Amino acid sequence: MSGGLFQIAEPGESQIKEACTGRVVGIDLGTTNSLVATVRAGTPECLAVDDEGGRLLPSVVEYFADHTIVGKRALTDAAANPIDTIVSVKRFMGRGPGDVETTRRFTPYRFASKSGPLIRFAVAGREVTPIEVSAEILRVLRTQAEVALGGVLDGVVITVPAYFDDAQRQATRDAGRLAGLHVLRLLNEPTAAALAYGLDKKSQGTFAVYDLGGGTFDISILKLEEGVFQVKATGGDTALGGDDFDRALAELVVQRSGRAPDSPTAQRELLDACRAAKHRLTRESATEILPGVRIAREEFDEAIAPILTRTAAACRRAIKDAELTPETLDGVILVGGATRVPAVRAFVEKIFKQKPLFDLDPDQVVALGAAVQADLLAGAGPQAGNDVLLLDVIPLSLGLEMMGGVVEKIIPRNWTIPTRAQQTFTTYADGQTGFDLHVVQGERESVADCRSLARFQLKGIPPMPAGMARLDVTFLVDADGILQVTAHEQTTGQEAVIEVTPSYGLSAEEIEQMLLDSYQHADSDVKTRLLIDARVEADRILSAIRGALVADGRLLEPEERAPIEQAIAALQSARDGIDRHAIRSAIESLDHASQSFAQRRMDTSLQHAVAGRRISEVEQKLE
Ligand code: ADP
Ligand code: MG
């Protein structure tokens, strides 16, 4: 996999959006731990996230009926209350219940739905999406940062793995928004690490980023050209990390002591003891894990060797994908808590044939780089006192009302502005001489659940049969967030334009609420939409066939007409019901029943055309 051009400063960024005092931070929203960092006096530093001054916030959220606990205490409780405690939520971002990543993994907590676009966890009597769980983590980071910086945050940069797809990135942005954060940009984790090391100051180069976290391993190859990092290759293993070291050590202890833990609790305790011992072994040459069971660092190194070997294949492949050799790399960066282990460092040095960079704390390096990026963005404002930031995305989708009161999204939320999108529509009814355009904002499928922004009309189109007119609708959002909607009918050249300010009058809370509603209703919304679409289609077909029977009924013998009438009645009754599959199959039956009638009409219509009269004109007059 490759791609993802990342620019330090984009040309479009000079647009001033919103004045601010530049209180910005970088956030590493990790699978195991999350951190927040800011640049002070030119140097990035991680901020305390708990009362003891710790900088790592375990990415764990424990749910109760009326509140949540995030971080260390939630992690401690996880063993006792596994069902209501969500760990490793990052693995589920942007995923549906049917995704491999979801089904493959054993999780103690419960999924609320088996279908639909979003995963939902059933916790403490309610349902939450991964986006909401992540927002809880982000809220804690936000509060801590606001205390440390003495005021409301103006903007954040959140990091994501380089391999995250659109849905996963979208989900991360939404989590930020739900937490009341102004997400300036998402930044690839390896790129953040490179920024933390100041590698962007070099003119060019290629770098490998070896990231071994708690449960994931990522290898990325970055190419720097004129201040722009490009991800040339990514690879890794989503089920490999420092937690596997804990398990390897536990096995060693069981072997040595001859005693296996006899309950889930005992097993948990053993793993916790092994993790603590693993951390000690980074500094000490031997340590006691259980009374009388002492493990030397060499023994630990031997136990984890097979795990390290598994990372080597992915590294070699990534180097090859990037069309490089280890010798041509200009640097290797260590990221992730597990790279603290001396054996890991030695191993990386062997694969890449050079000493890796590890001057910066490997669990902080991504957050530090995100802070550098946030600082660059906040300072990137032009001359104007550089206290400016840009509101760079569309907070809620923009769309048009369609027949049946459903919304067609023209510009999806989170698109970077300025932006432009166009879609072509046509007439629903014969002889329609104008279009009613209704511009709405929101994530729901039904117009009634969205926010109305503007209504306008395009008139002066000569009567044509349904489906003949071609209406191009263009949505243009400029750098100031102003939306301009242009409707242009192709055959006549008729045009109408309207301007609106989309987010005008909506508070951050209202935007949050609209997003939340859309997650809660995502499943039922899609079903409703499909039903409405089927009904609209049924109405169109019913009206067309009824019109045709009036116009050309004489072409049919009574016994030919009866099955068509029956199919019409069947479709009408299905249409009035709520089963979209029934409507679809009734449409098919009617289609089938009226096939020869349609054929005969076509032949006649050809004769009419010769006679200078179009069948559609006949239909129009009759309606
Ligand atoms: P993630 O990116 O998944 O959020 P981190 O980068 O925070 O994860 O890494 C967490 C892992 O690093 C855990 O397995 C933890 O035990 C391990 N780790 C942290 N500190 C040390 C240390 N001093 N020695 C060995 N492993 C460590
Ligand atoms: Mg990480």
Side-chain angles (χ1 to χ4, degrees), residues 30-33 213-216 242-243 275 278-279 282 336-338 340-341 363:
T31 310
T32 316
N33 294 301
T216 55
D243 299 346
R275 168 174 302 193
K278 171 184 77 172
H279 291 194
T282 294
R340 284 244 180 80
V341 174
D363 23 50

Side-chain angles (χ1 to χ4, degrees), residues 33 91 110 245 282 310 339 384 414 417 469 489 517 522 605 609 612:
N33 294 301
R91 296 186 184 279
R110 288 183 298 236
F245 296 176
T282 294
R310 281 169 60 197
T339 63
N414 289 338
I417 56 174
E489 204 286 312
D517 286 348
S605 128

Side-chain angles (χ1 to χ4, degrees), residues 28 30-31 33 90 189 211 213 216 335-336 366:
D28 172 3
T31 310
N33 294 301
K90 188 172 179 177
E189 286 162 11
D211 182 348
T216 55
V335 177
V366 167

Side-chain angles (χ1 to χ4, degrees), residues 473-497:
V473 180
T474 309
F475 276 46
L476 181 86
V477 181
D478 68 14
D480 297 318
I482 309 294
L483 166 70
Q484 193 184 64
V485 181
T486 311
H488 175 95
E489 204 286 312
Q490 286 178 10
T491 48
T492 58
Q494 289 288 340
E495 196 169 279
V497 182

Side-chain angles (χ1 to χ4, degrees), residues 400 402 408 410 423-427 435 437 469-473:
L400 278 180
M402 297 286 110
E408 180 68 22
I410 310 289
Q423 227 165 295
T424 305
F425 299 95
T426 188
T427 39
F435 289 94
L437 292 126
R470 285 278 170 273
L471 186 71
D472 293 330
V473 180

